[in-house]
Each structure stands twice: as C-alpha cells, then as structure tokens.
C-alpha cells in the first residue's frame, strides 16, 4: 500500500493528475479494480479514490489479539494488496518501464485447419516463421506484461472445450532448474496454462526456464509476466476478464465475478521457495477468487474450506514429498495442486519418446532446430483418412513404407503420405473429414513436432531434439492410433496407419486422396440448409456464457469457427448427451428470417429462458447470441446502410469508434444484440450470410488482415453475387477509421450498399 501511495504521489507530481493510465489492448481498464469496484480508472487522478478504498480495508494488527478462526481481515488485506499491485503496474506503464512485448507474439496461429473443408490455403513459410516466441534463444527473454483481450478470446474455445482445463500462477523459484522444467512440463502435458512471476533472492523461475531453453510464450501456454511478485496481479486480471468476457458480467459485480471464478475457472497459485510478506498478501487476494495456494515450503496452512472449493493454503515442503528423486517430487507436487483445486483433466497416454499434450500444439520448430521436414511445398505431402471395411483393418497396425527418419539427411525435405484407415460399426463416410482434421492437432501435440496444413498440403517438421530422443515415423502412427481411439471411441473400433516416404508411392496415393477430396468438396458444396431437416445446437460455451446457444446449420459455422454442421453431427453420434443436440426444423415462422418454432423453443429452454426468439438469417431481427470466443464481430453502421466486420486479431480502430475488444465487450456474454453479432470467419463465404439484410453486398468495412487472408475466397463470393469489383469497394482501416472517412470512400467508389433498401 505504502509503495503504491508513494509512487502515485510522485507520478502525479511529475506527470500531472490528468495523465492517462491504461493496460495495453484491453477494454477492461485496470481489470481487477474494475471487476471489484466498477471504477474505470483512466487517469492518475482516478487512482486516488481506489487507494483510499484499499486503505480502508486494512485493519491494524493488534499485538495482543487472540487467534480467531476466520479470515475476514486477511482477505480484506489481500484485496487491498491486489488494488495496490495493479496500480503499481499501471504506474510502470506511465513511467514507460513496461517491457515492450514483441509485436507478433500476440497473434493467433495461422489457420491450419479451417472449419469448412472446401476452403483451405497453402501454408506460407513467412507466416510460420512469424510465430515469434518470447524466448527466442537461451539466455534472453521478453516479459509479457498483461495478456491482451485478443489472446484471452483466442484461448476461449480451449478453455470451454477442456483442452485448457485451468491455469497455474507460479510465483517464485524452484529448487533447481531441473525441477522448474519438470513442473512446467507436467502442467503443459495436462494443458494447464502457466503464468510465471516472482523470484526468491532475485532468481525467478523465468530465469530457470530460459536457461534450460524452454520456449516461453502464448503458443506454449507459458506466459512470463515478470520477475517480481507484483506482476502476478496480471493472472488475477486475466481471471477477472474471463468473467467479464465470457460470463456476461460487468465491472462492479464483485460477488458474481468471484463466484464465477470459483465455479468455472480452475486456477491455483503455486508458490515456489520462501514465502515473504508480499507473497502472503497476494495469496490472500487470490483466495478471494477461490484460487487455493500451494507452497513447496513450510508455511502456516489454512485448511478449512469455504471460499475455495477445498483447502485455502496448503504447505508441502518440497524435500518431504514422497518420491525417489526431485523429478518425482515435482510430479507429485503438480498432482497435488490439481487435486486441491479440483481441476478435471483428461489425458491420453501416447507411447512416444517425447512429451505429448495440447500445450505443445503451438510450439515452433525453427529451421536451425529442425532435423528434417516433410512436404514443405517443394515435395509432396498429404494426409488422408478413410473409412474401410473392418476385415481390411488390423487395429493398431502401423507401417512405414520407404525410408525412416534415420535414413534421411539432416536438414532434408522429404515426401510424406499419411493414410489412416478407420473401421467402426457407427463410422460413416461423412465423418472422414471430421476425423481427418484431427490429424493436425494430434500430431502437433507431440513435443518437437510441427504440423501445418491438411489434406494435400501437409507440412511437418521434426526437431533435432525429438529425433535424438528416438522419435521415428512409426510414432506418428502410435499418436494417431491412441488419440483417435480415445477421442472418438463411439465411432472408431479399429485404426491402422501407413506412412509412405518414397516419392513414387506418395505421388500415386496423393492422386487417390485428391479424388476423394474433390468428391468431398462437391458434397460439402451441396450441403445446404434446405437439403437437411435437422440443425444442431452447440452449448459448449455455456460453461462460460451460461445463456449462450449456437444453432449450427449446414451453411453457417459456429461463431468460434471451430464447429460446423458435420462436426456437430459427428459429435452427437459420439456423445448423445453432449453439447450438440439435433433440433428438427418444425413450425416455420418465416423463411426469409430463418425462424422456426422448434428453434425458438429450444433456445428459450436452453438460455435459462432469457432468449425467446432467434432467427438464423438476420442480424437485425433477433440474431443469434454471442458468447465471447467469436472469430469476428459484425456491426451495423447506420450511416452507411451496411455492416462492418472486425476480426479478432485486428487491433486497429474501426469506423464505429471502437476497437474489437470494446465491441466484443458490448456483444459478448451470451447476449442478443440486434445490429451486432459474433460469427466465424468462414460464415462470410456462406450463401446464407445475412440474407435478410442483403448478404455480402451489405458489407461496407472489413478488417484489412481478414480481407487479405481470405481474398481469393471472398473474390469468388463477389463474383457469385454478380459484383466482381465489390471486394475493393469494401473499406478497411487503411482508408477509413471514422464514419466520415468511410462515407466519403463509399460514395466516391459507389458501394452498392448505399443504394440498397434502408436497413433501419
Ligand atoms: Fe461455443 Fe458456439 Fe463454438 Fe459451440 S459452436 S463452441 S457454443 S461458439
Ligand atoms: Zn464461445
């Protein structure tokens, strides 16, 4: 408290009370303070009442007071600590002391597996090389500072579908570098997001990991906030923002924000090394969120439950943990943390010589670190999954036809063909693409493997380290065999895998695969809303946005972009009581709006009776609700009689005077907001793209990055609707970031929306 008060005082004297304060790229101000109090701290001046409030939480510590079994004063002091910490961090921004984050580290991965099978683009080496990590090489690193809203939303879908079951805020320094790496690997293996901060006598776990060459960054689920304890506040800011973003809560709903975290965000604090007063005080703040604290040293415990689900503070002195060596102790420590927080983990046991789990999905294998690669544009690479007769499939059979890794030159580029044959009583041809698309992340989950693309543009890299540890091509088969069985047990009875590496056979089989891909393309193109009688619901996001329901029709992907109609149908087969339920079209109310009685009833029942109407073909009249993990947001610009489309990874200003983060804050949380709607990016290519409001012709502004990324496909759309020049008539942030600029551009270029019937 004293530090915050003193630094604020100095900052006001030096910079003036009106000086603006903000964390980068968030629409939630200083999020912990905003969540707790609803106060939007935007200037130095605005900090003063917050610190006064925090001061009032502190009660003097009487020396002669009896010990009492309640925590009230401790928790109050914890909250005061959090407020002070957030202010201290924000003041660092004012003084320009915040580490500049690498400009690319916040970007999402390139879209390797698009939601619709018909649309895919060739992988681009530049885009991949651009996936910068925070620890580019041993010995140097970049501290992250606060996580931006874009990244929070990008993780949204992983948080809801269980790939990312929770987060661990690690504070301090492990007993040894080896133990530090082991703890992080154990957490990564389970898909737990890891926030790193703090130190013990100047040495931080961040130093330990960097010294051991561990890749830190968003892509590997490891975020280094800072080497002091105060930066741990960003973990709680992240927690607060999950509640605001996905829970539909607003600042000041303190109780709801905290309960949301207790019930839905499976986080814990792991304190490594000596726990000093500041760490104690921070821990007390974390407990208010329902996050327990586990220390690897001897400290007083707080075992009664109540605010957290189980114990509040648990002491587990490292050297007293049972185990043959430190590595085993580290593993037990992680297991105990998971138990105390009640994190639910599902893990597949894959028999390969390297670690395996979702945290390795975004890991990069740079050219220098690469042993060899496959199918990198200059050589053919494909992957093809097909249904086969049960008699022709021998479960678990893995064959490698052609040279294996140890017969390939270091740094070489080789052909590859992966053929997966699946048999199962409930397997259907329609599930082939759904299962095939899994290959991408299943292969990526292996430490030191990088997989990009799909179908006939597969590109795989194997790292030197992974090769040296004994990884060979047959292990690819082991991965696919084990994971397909575990993730799709209801439709997969038998799987066999053949990996081809000789050019002739790869080329021959690639043409067989291509013919099948072509057939699938035609089938997908013919799959229209009219051609089926059942649409599917998705309520996966209800774990975060309790009122949200997606209805997924063949011509519209879920707004996260991760689920299309075929996926939902397969998912229903896999798990009939799961989040994807069939809803039969019944009781047509309006064909134009895409409104049916059966969908209205379903949505009403599943939105806690908050939404009683929902149309599928309109954004102005009862549009679909928006959870928080949407890829794009679409919003009416009344002056232009059209809509703007803002993509999640576009940080620039829009003509609405708001950035994506702010817009998303208005639309998210499972609300229905006419004129505003979250959607998946492939929805833009659909013939059922807001047909009631005029379809793609009504788009007047679009994020420049999205326009470029999807240029070829969007051009096809424009030609299909008889407006071949439309794409260049759509403005972007290069030509307009205000309504005035937008109007001038549209009028000048003659955008068709201006002549369309008024949307209002
Ligand atoms: Fe969430 Fe909708 Fe995606 Fe399902 S389809 S995961 S409900 S956004
Ligand atoms: Zn969602």
């Amino acid at each position: 408290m004293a530090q915050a008060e003193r630094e604020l005082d100095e900052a006001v004297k030096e910079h003036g009370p009106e000086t603006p304060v903000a964390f980068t790229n968030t629409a939630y101000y200083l999020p912990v303070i905003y969540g707790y109090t609803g106060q939007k701290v935007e200037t130095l001046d605005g900090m003063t009442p917050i610190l006064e409030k925090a001061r009032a939480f502190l009660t003097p510590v009487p020396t002669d007071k009896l010990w009492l079994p309640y925590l009230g004063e401790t928790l109050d002091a914890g909250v005061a600590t959090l407020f002070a910490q957030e202010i201290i961090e924000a003041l660092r921004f004012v003084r320009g002391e915040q580490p500049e984050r690498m400009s690319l580290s916040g970007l999402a991965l390139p879209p390797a597996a698009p939601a619709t099978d018909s649309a895919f683009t060739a992988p681009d080496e530049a885009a991949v090389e651009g996936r910068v990590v925070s620890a580019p090489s041993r010995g140097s690193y970049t501290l992250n500072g606060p996580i931006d809203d874009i990244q929070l939303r990008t993780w949204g879908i992983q948080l809801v579908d269980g790939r990312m079951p929770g987060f661990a805020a690690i504070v301090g320094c492990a007993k040894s570098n080896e133990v530090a790496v082991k703890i992080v690997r154990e957490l990564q293996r389970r898909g737990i997001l890891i926030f790193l901060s703090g130190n013990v006598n100047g040495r931080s776990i961040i130093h330990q990991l960097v010294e051991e060459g561990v890749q830190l960054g968003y892509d590997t689920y490891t975020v280094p906030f800072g080497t002091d304890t105060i930066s741990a506040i960003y973990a709680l800011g992240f927690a607060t923002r999950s509640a605001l973003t996905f829970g539909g809560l607003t600042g000041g709903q303190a109780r709801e924000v905290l309960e949301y975290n207790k019930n839905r965000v499976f986080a814990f604090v792991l304190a490594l090394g000596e726990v000093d007063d500041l760490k104690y005080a921070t821990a007390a703040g974390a407990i208010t969120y329902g996050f327990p604290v586990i220390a690897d040293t001897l400290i007083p415990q707080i075992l009664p439950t109540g605010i957290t689900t189980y114990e509040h503070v648990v002491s587990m002195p490292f050297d007293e943990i049972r185990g043959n060596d430190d590595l085993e102790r580290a593993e037990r420590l992680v297991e105990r943390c998971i138990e105390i927080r009640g994190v639910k983990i599902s893990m597949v046991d894959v028999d390969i010589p390297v670690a395996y789990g979702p945290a390795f999905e975004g890991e990069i294998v740079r050219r220098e670190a690469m042993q060899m690669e496959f199918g990198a544009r200059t050589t053919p690479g494909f992957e093809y999954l097909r249904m086969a007769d049960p008699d022709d499939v021998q479960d678990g059979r893995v064959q490698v036809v052609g040279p294996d890794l140890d017969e390939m030159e270091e740094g070489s580029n080789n052909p590859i063909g992966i053929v997966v044959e699946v048999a199962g009583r409930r397997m259907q041809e329609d599930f082939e693409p759904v299962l095939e698309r899994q290959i991408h992340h299943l292969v990526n989950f292996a430490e030191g493997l990088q997989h990009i693309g799909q179908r006939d543009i597969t590109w795989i890299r194997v790292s030197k380290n992974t090769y040296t540890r004994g990884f060979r091509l047959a292990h690819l088969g082991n991965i696919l065999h084990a994971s397909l069985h575990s993730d799709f047990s209801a439709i997969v009875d038998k799987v066999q895998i053949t990996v081809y590496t000789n050019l002739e056979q790869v080329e021959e089989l690639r043409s067989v695969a291509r013919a099948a891909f072509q057939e699938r393309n035609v089938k997908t193109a013919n799959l229209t809303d009219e051609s089926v009688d059942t649409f599917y619901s998705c309520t996966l996001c209800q774990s975060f946005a309790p009122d949200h329901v997606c209805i997924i029709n063949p011509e519209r992907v879920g707004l996260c972009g991760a689920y299309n109609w075929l996926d939902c149908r397969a998912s229903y087969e896999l798990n009939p009581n799961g989040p994807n339920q069939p809803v039969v079209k019944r009781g047509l109310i309006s064909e134009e709006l895409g409104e049916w009685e059966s969908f209205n009833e379903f949505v009403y029942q599943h939105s806690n009776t908050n939404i009683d109407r929902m149309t599928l073909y309109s954004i102005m009249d009862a549009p679909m609700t928006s959870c928080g993990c949407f890829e794009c947001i679409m919003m009416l610009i009344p002056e232009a009689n059209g809509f703007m489309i803002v993509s999640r990874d576009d940080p620039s200003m829009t003509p609405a005077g708001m950035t994506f983060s702010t817009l998303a804050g208005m639309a998210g949380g499972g609300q229905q907001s006419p004129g505003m709607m979250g959607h998946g990016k492939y929805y833009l290519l659909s013939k059922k793209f807001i047909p009631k409001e005029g379809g793609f012709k009504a788009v007047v502004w679009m994020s420049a990055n999205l326009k470029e990324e999807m240029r070829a496909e969007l051009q096809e759309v424009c030609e299909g609707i008889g407006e071949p020049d439309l794409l260049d008539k759509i403005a972007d942030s290069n030509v307009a970031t205000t309504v005035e600029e937008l109007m001038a551009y549209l009028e000048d270029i003659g955008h068709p929306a201006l002549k369309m019937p008024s949307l209002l």
Side-chain angles (χ1 to χ4, degrees):
M1 279 298 306
Q3 184 185 345
E5 286 162 348
R6 188 185 65 239
E7 288 186 7
L8 175 58
D9 219 39
E10 285 164 9
V12 170
K13 277 193 199 114
E14 192 178 337
H15 303 278
E18 294 308 314
T19 307
V21 289
F23 285 159
T24 40
N25 298 327
T26 174
Y28 299 110
Y29 313 94
L30 305 188
V32 170
I33 292 170
Y34 180 59
Y36 257 106
T37 66
Q39 296 298 313
K40 303 172 179 172
V41 176
E42 293 175 277
T43 58
L44 287 179
D45 226 9
M47 290 177 166
T48 311
I50 302 297
L51 283 184
E52 279 164 8
K53 204 178 284 233
R55 224 345 133 189
F57 286 156
L58 299 180
T59 35
V61 184
T63 42
D64 57 348
K65 200 168 149 189
L66 290 174
W67 181 84
L68 291 169
Y70 56 73
L71 284 175
E73 290 161 358
T74 308
L75 298 178
D76 284 350
V79 174
T81 308
L82 301 187
F83 286 10
Q85 288 176 326
E86 204 165 44
I87 283 178
I88 292 170
E89 282 294 336
L91 290 172
R92 288 180 180 168
F93 273 97
V94 172
R95 294 195 302 264
E97 286 167 17
Q98 271 297 325
E100 268 296 303
R101 217 181 59 218
M102 284 188 185
S103 58
L104 283 172
S105 61
L107 291 184
L109 301 187
T116 41
D117 263 296
S118 53
F120 59 88
T121 41
D124 165 9
E125 171 126 22
V128 178
E129 299 291 353
R131 284 154 63 182
V132 174
V133 284
S134 302
S137 62
R138 264 164 218 258
S140 75
Y141 59 92
T142 307
L143 296 173
N144 193 84
I147 288 170
D148 53 43
D149 287 348
I150 298 172
Q151 188 56 45
L152 172 70
R153 280 174 202 283
T154 309
W155 277 330
I157 183 73
Q158 274 135 284
L159 289 164
V160 304
D161 71 8
R163 264 178 290 163
M164 194 181 263
F167 75 75
I170 304 185
V171 186
C173 180
K175 185 183 173 195
S176 65
N177 285 14
E178 211 187 5
V179 169
V181 174
K182 179 71 175 168
I183 289 174
V184 165
R185 291 292 185 232
E186 286 299 317
L187 291 165
Q188 280 179 317
R189 209 155 72 82
R190 294 166 168 86
I192 294 175
L193 180 59
I194 305 158
F195 297 142
L196 303 161
S197 52
N199 70 72
V200 174
N201 301 325
R203 225 174 125 63
S204 167
I205 183 163
I206 297 174
H207 301 132
Q208 297 181 306
L209 296 172
V210 170
E211 282 163 16
E212 296 306 308
V214 174
Q215 251 183 45
L216 301 182
Y218 289 159
D219 289 343
T220 52
Y221 291 21
T222 46
V223 187
F225 283 143
T227 53
D228 61 350
T229 303
I230 290 179
S231 60
I233 189 66
Y234 293 135
L236 297 167
F238 180 84
T240 303
R241 288 186 293 140
S242 335
L244 300 176
T245 304
F246 301 113
L249 301 173
T250 64
Q253 288 182 286
R255 182 181 178 143
E256 288 82 358
V257 168
L258 299 180
E259 282 178 350
Y260 183 93
N261 273 285
K262 179 187 172 190
N263 297 329
R264 296 173 196 270
V265 179
F266 292 92
F268 56 87
V269 180
L270 175 55
L272 300 177
E274 189 210 338
V275 177
D276 55 23
D277 285 355
L278 185 55
K279 284 184 192 154
Y280 254 119
T282 311
I287 290 171
T288 64
Y289 284 76
F291 301 159
V293 180
I294 297 92
D296 75 343
T297 51
L298 189 65
I299 60 165
Q301 308 196 92
I302 307 178
L303 296 180
T305 64
I307 302 151
T308 59
T309 313
Y310 303 110
E311 296 84 357
H312 294 105
V313 176
V314 174
S315 162
M316 249 187 118
F318 193 79
D319 293 324
E320 289 167 31
I321 300 172
R322 263 189 315 114
N324 293 323
D325 56 19
D326 279 355
L327 294 187
E328 220 178 300
R329 286 182 194 104
E331 196 175 334
R332 293 256 159 80
L333 180 64
V334 169
E335 280 164 5
R336 185 83 177 105
C337 291
I338 287 165
E339 226 175 272
I340 292 167
R341 181 59 182 100
V343 188
K344 285 170 208 69
I345 311 263
S346 58
M347 246 186 356
V348 208
D349 223 350
V350 177
D351 184 19
I352 54 172
V354 290
Y356 189 82
F360 302 100
E361 182 173 3
E363 192 195 20
I364 302 153
V365 179
R366 283 161 208 287
R367 186 164 285 285
E368 318 84 74
M370 166 189 108
Q371 179 70 23
M372 74 272 298
E373 62 185 338
F374 297 92
R377 271 181 302 183
T378 43
T379 47
F382 78 91
E383 60 204 32
Y384 173 41
L385 182 143
R386 71 175 168 215
M387 187 170 122
D389 193 288
D391 293 339
D392 299 334
V393 180
Q394 188 187 329
D395 188 41
R397 183 171 186 207
V398 177
Q399 283 174 284
V400 176
V401 182
D404 205 334
L405 302 189
D406 36 16
E407 297 157 70
M408 291 172 188
E409 268 174 54
E410 197 179 318
S412 60
N413 181 0
N414 310 273
I416 195 165
I418 304 173
V419 177
V420 184
E421 285 159 298
V422 174
R425 260 161 298 123
R426 289 169 63 197
M427 180 66 191
Q428 300 178 22
E429 220 169 83
D430 280 351
F431 299 158
E432 286 178 354
V434 176
L435 298 184
E436 190 181 281
R437 268 213 312 278
Q438 309 297 318
I439 297 175
H440 168 68
H441 72 258
L442 296 180
V443 171
N444 255 331
F445 279 7
E447 187 186 352
L449 288 198
Q450 176 182 297
H451 180 289
I452 294 172
Q454 65 314 121
R455 288 189 164 187
D456 59 352
I457 52 167
T458 298
W459 175 15
I460 298 174
R461 273 185 177 177
V462 181
S463 80
K464 287 198 175 97
N465 183 24
T466 293
Y467 170 76
T468 321
R469 278 156 74 186
F471 190 91
R472 295 297 176 265
L473 287 172
H475 291 122
L476 277 181
N478 296 358
I479 291 173
L480 296 173
H481 174 256
S483 308
L484 288 172
H485 265 299
S486 108
D487 296 358
F488 296 91
S489 55
I491 51 178
V492 172
D493 295 340
K494 291 166 148 193
V495 191
Q496 74 180 20
I497 296 103
T498 318
V499 181
Y500 297 89
T501 56
N502 49 26
L503 186 64
E504 207 172 298
Q505 265 166 309
V506 171
E507 278 178 341
E508 190 187 315
L509 286 162
R510 184 177 62 173
S511 49
V512 175
R514 276 182 172 161
F517 298 153
Q518 187 50 32
E519 223 173 274
R520 283 186 205 159
N521 284 350
V522 173
K523 211 162 158 184
T524 321
N526 291 338
L527 192 62
T528 61
D529 290 359
E530 291 75 24
S531 68
V532 302
D533 61 2
T534 305
F535 296 168
Y536 287 87
S537 65
C538 186
T539 47
L540 203 55
C541 282
Q542 289 197 346
S543 58
F544 277 89
D547 298 343
H548 174 73
V549 182
C550 271
I551 296 288
I552 299 176
N553 33 314
E555 295 182 76
R556 169 153 146 178
V557 293
L559 50 81
C560 54
Y563 295 91
N564 66 23
W565 187 84
L566 280 173
D567 296 319
C568 293
R569 196 164 68 116
S571 144
Y572 172 66
E573 286 287 324
L574 287 168
N575 180 5
N577 300 315
N580 302 109
Q581 293 297 315
V583 190
V584 176
K585 284 192 265 179
R586 179 179 48 73
L588 180 69
I589 297 170
S590 161
E591 205 165 328
E592 207 191 358
L593 289 169
E595 184 178 5
W596 280 267
E597 274 168 24
S598 52
F599 296 114
N600 284 345
E601 283 160 18
F602 186 93
V603 170
Y604 183 69
Q605 276 167 18
H606 290 84
S607 65
N608 302 310
T609 69
N610 276 315
I611 310 288
D612 55 6
R613 270 189 72 214
M614 198 206 72
T615 66
L616 292 173
Y617 300 153
S618 171
I619 172 177
M620 299 302 291
D621 192 0
M624 197 143 81
T625 54
S626 302
C627 46
C629 55
F630 32 79
E631 288 183 301
C632 303
I633 195 153
M634 171 162 41
M635 186 182 162
L636 174 73
I637 308 272
E639 294 87 343
N641 197 42
F643 300 91
M644 66 169 189
I645 312 276
V646 193
S647 118
R648 184 166 65 191
D649 37 23
D650 177 8
S652 54
M653 184 47 77
T654 71
M658 290 175 271
T659 59
F660 179 89
S661 292
T662 317
L663 288 164
M666 290 167 64
Q671 304 168 59
Q672 185 175 56
S673 346
M676 204 172 184
M677 184 169 79
H679 63 89
K681 60 187 179 190
Y682 283 92
Y683 179 51
L684 292 170
L685 307 180
S686 166
K687 290 204 171 66
K688 294 292 193 306
F689 175 76
I690 52 165
K692 175 73 173 64
E693 284 81 25
F696 198 67
K697 246 188 253 188
V699 176
V700 293
W701 190 97
M702 202 170 161
S703 286
N705 60 327
L706 191 63
K707 201 155 119 185
E708 279 325 302
E709 182 190 319
M710 299 182 71
R711 182 165 276 280
E713 294 112 311
L714 291 171
Q715 184 56 36
E716 247 177 71
V717 171
C718 296
E719 276 158 28
I721 57 173
E723 292 276 350
D725 308 326
L726 179 59
L727 201 51
D728 291 320
K729 292 183 181 170
I730 298 175
D732 56 38
S733 57
N734 297 320
V735 295
T737 50
T738 63
V739 171
E740 294 71 34
E741 284 167 5
L742 176 67
M743 292 313 294
Y745 182 85
L746 298 178
E747 272 157 24
D748 190 46
I749 206 152
H751 192 291
L754 300 179
K755 290 186 215 80
M756 286 180 8
S758 169
L759 287 167
L760 296 170

